[in-house]
Amino acid sequence: MKKNYLLALLSAFLLWLAWPPVPYTAPLLWVAFVPILLALESVMRSNYRKKGAKVFLLAGLMGLVWNTASIYWVFNAMNAVMPIYAAMFVALIPFGLAAVLMAFAFRLYYQLRKRYAIGWSLAGLACFWIAYEYLHQTWDLAFPWMTLGNGFANTHQLVQWYEYSGVYGGTVWILAVNIALFLAILSARDGFAPVRRYSLLATAGTLIILPSAWSLWRYSTYEERENPSNIVVVQPNIDPYGKFGPIPPAEQIENLIRLSESVAQPNTEFFIWPETAIAAPDGYNEEEFLRHPFFLRIQDFLTHYKNGNLLSGIESYLIYSGPETPTAREFSGIYYDAFNAAILVENSAKLQYYHKSKLVPGVEQTPFGGALAFMKPLFKAFGGTTGGYGRQDKPSVFYSQSGIGAAPVICYESIWGDYVAQYIEQGAQFIAVITNDGWWGDTSGKDQHLAYAKLRAIETRRWVARSANTGISAFINQRGDVVQRTEWWVPAALKQDINLNEEITYYVKAGDYLAYAGCAGSLVFALLALSTRWKRRNQ
């Protein structure tokens, strides 16, 4: 078994080395699963007892090491505000949960292999993996950070076809190439005729070359339609752990305005400030903000720009007469919802709000309601709430007075390709990602988050204007190129003429259809696998 564990660790190492933000290594994903598949094959052909348990442990080890090495920054962020024992406990959820789900996918694959041919079993494995990824982006503990297709974020020139498939196309691509290579090695080991091995190697080569070649052609020939709009993104660089400390909110607003004016032009149409840029310890009442001095100061600033709009993050709340929403909290007989929100301010007495929908498990919502209520105090220190934020069910687009549609995507939401696509369906002509990213410190978390935004640009063929509190702020064009970016932990402002786009890509129209197909396939294969086990128990 020692050799098999080493093979599992080799797969974990290759997956980590291929993962953003490491540059130029993404092609390793095409071979990263071959060692673990060989290790599992060795177990299946052995005389070991409890083979299913060994398969589960090997796959779980690979997933745990890969996840922990790639998203170690989760622990860093938690440890900054929690005792080390609490931070370790909380970090185990993203480190270990995905690993357990991966292990289940491989365990079901083993169950299929007991009765069905290896080809059908590997097709089942691909479906089980896709189903795991889809579950991990839809349930209360959603964390689709490690979806396989995200691995090409730093080699986006090879995945321009994501405009048709989204990141699940990348997942299918990676799994298909690995399976073909694994079968080629297996055929050589088992003494099959060389023609079979060469055929499988040719299949793997074709799977790599054709999509890559088409993508490079698409990348080199893609041209944006001229439809310019001048945008400014601001990075105030306020320590998130001291946001409500020594710097008064009014001073923070003045700093944001000063940075905006430092690069603005008379024709600037959008100023974009980061997540919770407009904040106070108790937030702002959305129904009263029109009369707040900060609103009047912002409007005074915008009067210098004929078509100027401010799109900013804001901590807000709404007061109700009763428990009108599932997240409403009661205080002294008054019910209210607190929101991590975005606001659009223009040169009129009109405000538009968007309430963040994809909430961070634990920090912004307690997963599975009352079952994990005991963890609420742990997350309060991490900028969350003990009652959970309110949310809206679907995205909404901000429209300026001149008719430009902007997608207000708040932080964590930029990881969901299908969710961002819904903004585009509603008419968004560019994507505004507002985020903090200071919670993680100077780790790879901020770099991964930026890299994933490039995939949203490709899927939707929209510019991304990214405003991050402490970095990295950037402009990303419709091919996924980072055209401008700031450095980490410096106050900065960037301006850019972007091209607005109204065309709808196939992915925006179809959504995560590959995930739906994979989930449907996983149900069929799971029934086959479990029925085999049931029959054996009842013979």
Side-chain angles (χ1 to χ4, degrees), residues 79-107:
N79 194 36
V81 294
M82 297 178 184
I84 188 170
Y85 64 86
M88 290 180 66
F89 173 71
V90 174
L92 280 175
I93 298 174
F95 292 166
L97 185 57
V100 170
L101 295 174
M102 293 176 200
F104 271 118
F106 281 100
R107 179 64 179 81

Side-chain angles (χ1 to χ4, degrees), residues 16 65 120 248 506:
W16 167 76
V65 174
W120 281 106
Y506 182 82

